[in-house]
């Protein structure tokens, strides 16, 4: 796998907002564990969405972190669903610097009515459509996009289908999201409240080496893969999100018989990256007529979907800009 260095057992692992790459030598598999605490809590609370929408977006954030962490160059990984369900849009992106952000589009009245009725699983909200995963390597490089149909299943199933259908190697992938109630939060003096969102995910793949023509070749036989997959399938949702279960303890618990080793962790944070300049250049791509329609009392106001930041421009700035000859 990557040139990551093996951790010495004495290095403390921070317990949250990280990707922990690992390798199980006996089975010949590599994998990643993702743990999200404050980063996913900030993303989900920032939006004030209903609980069921938060869970679904939290799953998308965990999947994005698992998949995006495979980027080996500067770039951006985007996970986006477009469906006909009550949640018709999920957008999450991951930058190779380790930043995550995301938002959802949904029918607020219909979701509230469904939540009123009782327990709903996040997959119920998706409906039919597709999931697109895009790797953006910068302006001078080709983008890569993989698309998979969403046909009434949940996001874990969609990710499974993606790996089965693409020419990728056999892959196990699972994510979980939960509210975590902190026993001592009431007296902690913070305004975070007595609970916070947590998410986690596990991904395991055949370990590969570079074969002829740059095609990855499996290092191990299928027996090793099957043993690792069966062990991975025993992981409980609770284990993926438990803040008291250290990430390296969890992979040891799952794969110790297969001689598992943990590598250096990479940290994850919530960060939007929007700025007045970026919003301005986005607005400059609209025609003068479109900008006129957006303007109200001589101002153009834009709210960032990812972080709710408000931008307010004088529409005269754009009138001048768009009347300039190119
Ligand atoms: Zn923003």
């Amino acid at each position: 796998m990557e040139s990551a260095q093996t951790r010495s057992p004495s290095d403390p692992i921070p317990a949250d907002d990280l990707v922990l790459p690992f390798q199980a030598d006996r089975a010949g598999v590599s994998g990643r564990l993702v743990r999200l605490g404050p980063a996913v809590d900030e993303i989900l609370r920032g939006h004030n969405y209903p609980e069921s929408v938060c869970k679904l977006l939290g799953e998308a954030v965990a999947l994005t972190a698992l998949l995006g962490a495979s980027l080996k160059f500067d770039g951006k990984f985007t996970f986006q669903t477009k469906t006909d369900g009550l949640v018709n849009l999920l957008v999450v992106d991951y930058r190779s610097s380790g930043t995550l952000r995301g938002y959802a589009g949904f029918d607020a009245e219909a979701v509230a009515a469904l939540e009123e009725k009782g327990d709903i699983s996040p997959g119920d909200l998706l409906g039919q459509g597709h999931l697109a995963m895009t790797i953006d390597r910068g302006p001078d490089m080709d983008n890569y996009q993989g698309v998979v149909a969403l046909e009434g299943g949940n996001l874990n199933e969609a990710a499974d289908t993606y790996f089965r259908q693409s020419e990728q190697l056999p892959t196990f992938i699972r994510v979980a999201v939960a509210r975590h109630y902190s026993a001592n939060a009431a007296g902690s003096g913070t305004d975070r409240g007595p609970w916070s969102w947590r998410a986690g995910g596990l991904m395991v793949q055949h370990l590969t080496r570079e074969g002829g023509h740059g095609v990855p070749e499996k290092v191990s036989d299928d027996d090793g893969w099957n043993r690792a997959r069966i062990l991975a399938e025993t992981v409980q949702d609770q284990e993926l999100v438990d803040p008291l279960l250290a990430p390296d303890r969890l992979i040891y618990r799952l794969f110790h018989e297969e001689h598992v080793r943990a590598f250096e962790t990479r940290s994850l944070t919530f960060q939007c990256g929007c700025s007045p300049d970026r919003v301005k250049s986005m607005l400059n791509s609209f025609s003068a007529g479109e900008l006129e329609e957006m303007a109200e009392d001589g101002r153009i106001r834009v709210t960032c979907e990812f972080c709710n930041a408000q931008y307010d421009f004088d529409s005269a700035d754009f009138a001048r800009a768009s009347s300039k000859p190119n």
Side-chain angles (χ1 to χ4, degrees):
M1 66 180 280
E2 300 105 282
S3 57
Q5 295 197 316
T6 307
R7 287 178 51 256
S8 99
S10 59
D11 292 344
I13 290 192
D16 264 334
D17 291 344
L18 58 82
V19 182
L20 176 69
F22 62 87
Q23 181 170 316
D25 294 314
R26 183 166 171 258
V29 299
S30 64
R32 289 192 281 280
L33 181 74
V34 159
R35 273 294 178 78
L36 289 162
V40 74
D41 191 54
E42 270 187 79
I43 293 173
L44 300 182
R45 283 188 188 232
H47 290 297
N48 205 20
Y49 294 153
E51 178 166 4
S52 57
V53 177
C54 284
K55 279 189 179 159
L56 191 56
L57 182 59
E59 288 181 356
V61 170
L63 281 170
T64 303
L66 272 181
L67 297 166
S70 68
L71 286 183
K72 291 186 177 70
F73 44 81
D74 278 349
K76 184 171 80 168
F77 173 88
T78 305
F79 179 104
Q80 178 165 347
T81 64
K82 270 195 182 146
T83 51
D84 63 3
L86 298 186
V87 174
N88 60 344
L89 181 73
L90 292 168
V91 185
V92 185
D93 64 40
Y94 167 92
R95 286 179 186 275
S96 42
S97 52
T99 61
L100 286 160
R101 59 179 191 164
Y103 70 93
F106 60 97
D107 180 335
E109 263 179 44
V111 169
L114 201 59
E115 284 194 346
E116 188 90 347
K117 271 203 249 168
D119 203 25
I120 17 172
S121 82
D124 296 343
L125 300 172
L126 274 176
Q128 316 248 334
H130 67 264
L131 159 64
M133 289 174 272
T134 312
I135 295 171
D136 181 349
R137 319 173 74 165
D140 303 324
M141 305 286 282
D142 284 342
N143 285 353
Y144 162 84
Q145 189 173 59
V147 178
V148 60
L150 280 165
E151 290 164 337
N154 61 34
L155 290 180
N156 276 318
E157 289 160 8
D160 272 345
T161 309
Y162 169 74
F163 282 106
R164 257 202 324 278
Q165 287 176 357
S166 64
E167 62 276 64
Q168 305 256 3
L169 295 156
T171 301
F172 171 90
I173 189 161
R174 174 87 56 81
V175 295
V177 178
R179 281 183 178 197
H180 173 70
Y181 290 82
S182 166
N184 58 3
S188 69
T190 69
D191 57 4
R192 294 185 78 80
W195 61 270
S196 57
W197 286 108
R198 297 187 57 78
L202 175 69
M203 180 169 170
V204 184
Q205 277 186 319
H206 255 299
L207 190 58
T208 60
R209 63 175 159 241
E210 195 86 344
H213 311 288
V215 179
E217 252 173 33
K218 293 179 202 168
V219 166
S220 66
D221 54 19
D222 288 341
D223 285 351
W225 162 249
N226 284 331
R227 291 197 310 275
R229 182 180 47 80
I230 288 164
L231 292 171
E233 279 169 355
T234 66
V235 75
Q236 303 293 309
D237 286 357
Q238 175 54 32
E239 292 176 308
L240 290 174
V241 298
D242 184 355
L244 301 177
L245 175 57
D248 56 345
R249 284 295 310 159
L250 175 54
I251 61 160
Y252 182 76
R253 183 187 279 184
L254 292 168
F255 303 112
H256 65 95
E257 292 161 26
E258 302 295 338
H259 304 169
V260 70
R261 290 184 290 144
F263 297 100
E264 289 285 346
T265 60
R266 270 170 281 168
S267 58
L268 299 166
T269 48
F270 161 62
Q271 195 187 320
C272 184
C274 66
S275 68
D277 282 350
R278 286 193 182 177
V279 175
K280 225 171 181 169
S281 75
M282 182 271 294
L283 287 172
N284 273 322
S285 67
F286 289 97
S287 71
E290 287 169 322
L291 288 166
E292 209 167 288
E293 270 184 31
M294 285 181 217
E296 218 173 292
D297 306 327
R299 311 296 301 177
I300 296 179
R301 294 181 183 88
V302 177
T303 302
C304 175
E305 299 268 28
F306 286 101
C307 71
N308 297 323
Q310 314 265 333
Y311 295 95
D312 186 344
F313 301 100
D314 188 337
S315 63
D317 293 350
F318 295 96
R320 274 198 304 278
S322 55
S323 63
K324 264 192 291 188
N326 284 325

